[in-house]
Amino acid sequence: MLLRRISILAALMLGCSSAAAYAFPNPLPNQIIAQSPGGRGQRGGPGSGGARLMEELNLTAEQRQEIQEIRNQYQDQLQGRYQELRQAQDQLRELMVGIASDGDLRGQHQRVLGLRQGMAELYFDQMLEIRAVLTEEQRQEFSQLMQQRRQEMLDRKGRRGGNSR
């Protein structure tokens, strides 16, 4: 009987941690990679993000400068919100495995959702400012490049067998 209870408890814990990992994937879009001047952000890595995209859009020196200024303007806010979000997600995970009430869990979940929404709004504001710097042709090219990248990501995810968590 004790072994059965332990098995059930272990299965529930595994299910909760898997659900939490699935429910709270990495919140940062790929654009954060290009936040720093070198085109290498928090995740770094060769060929990361924005520098390559800038080359493909054939931006003028003036456009590159304006876009970099926009990125710099948002970088501190985005990094601060990202850290706050990570802490809130960690707290939610701790509450999930602890003895927190449903109300406490719901409250923390709402906090995480609010932080995600705030980050999404910042990214959108940044995108609108960058969009204003691009020509109509560059906007169309950017849209096509982003669509290709999304498809490549889906293809890679499919080869890995779905969610890597």
Side-chain angles (χ1 to χ4, degrees):
M1 189 63 147
L2 180 62
L3 183 58
R4 184 171 183 222
R5 284 185 182 174
I6 292 173
S7 297
I8 291 172
L9 182 59
L12 283 173
M13 294 295 285
L14 181 60
C16 286
S17 63
S18 297
Y22 179 75
F24 308 111
N26 187 351
L28 284 183
N30 290 335
Q31 287 85 355
I32 192 74
I33 294 170
Q35 288 298 312
S36 65
R40 295 174 64 142
Q42 299 223 356
R43 294 193 188 161
S48 292
R52 189 175 63 208
L53 186 60
M54 299 280 187
E55 290 173 20
E56 293 180 46
L57 289 176
N58 297 316
L59 298 175
T60 66
E62 183 178 315
Q63 286 176 311
R64 288 175 191 265
Q65 180 64 33
E66 285 183 62
I67 290 172
Q68 190 57 53
E69 289 172 7
I70 293 167
R71 286 181 170 166
N72 291 341
Q73 174 187 342
Y74 283 90
Q75 184 174 4
D76 290 341
Q77 283 181 288
L78 287 167
Q79 286 179 345
R81 294 246 179 124
Y82 175 70
Q83 291 303 320
E84 191 176 351
L85 176 60
R86 291 296 299 246
Q87 290 172 355
Q89 288 174 324
D90 290 344
Q91 289 170 353
L92 180 58
R93 285 184 192 101
E94 289 174 18
L95 291 173
M96 288 289 283
V97 298
I99 58 171
S101 69
D102 287 355
D104 289 343
L105 287 167
R106 287 186 189 281
Q108 187 65 20
H109 183 251
Q110 288 300 313
R111 181 169 177 247
V112 167
L113 291 176
L115 291 168
R116 282 185 179 171
Q117 180 65 35
M119 283 191 70
E121 289 173 10
L122 274 176
Y123 276 114
F124 188 74
D125 291 344
Q126 178 181 350
M127 181 196 65
L128 287 176
E129 288 188 39
I130 290 173
R131 180 180 179 267
V133 173
L134 302 177
T135 65
E136 186 176 339
E137 295 80 21
Q138 288 168 329
R139 288 180 197 170
Q140 290 173 358
E141 179 69 16
F142 178 77
S143 176
Q144 291 173 355
L145 291 169
M146 292 308 291
Q147 190 172 11
Q148 288 173 357
R149 286 185 175 195
R150 277 190 293 273
Q151 187 59 51
E152 289 169 3
M153 267 180 32
L154 289 172
D155 292 347
R156 280 193 305 268
K157 198 172 193 178
R159 284 193 302 267
R160 285 194 314 239
N163 194 344
S164 62
R165 289 183 178 239

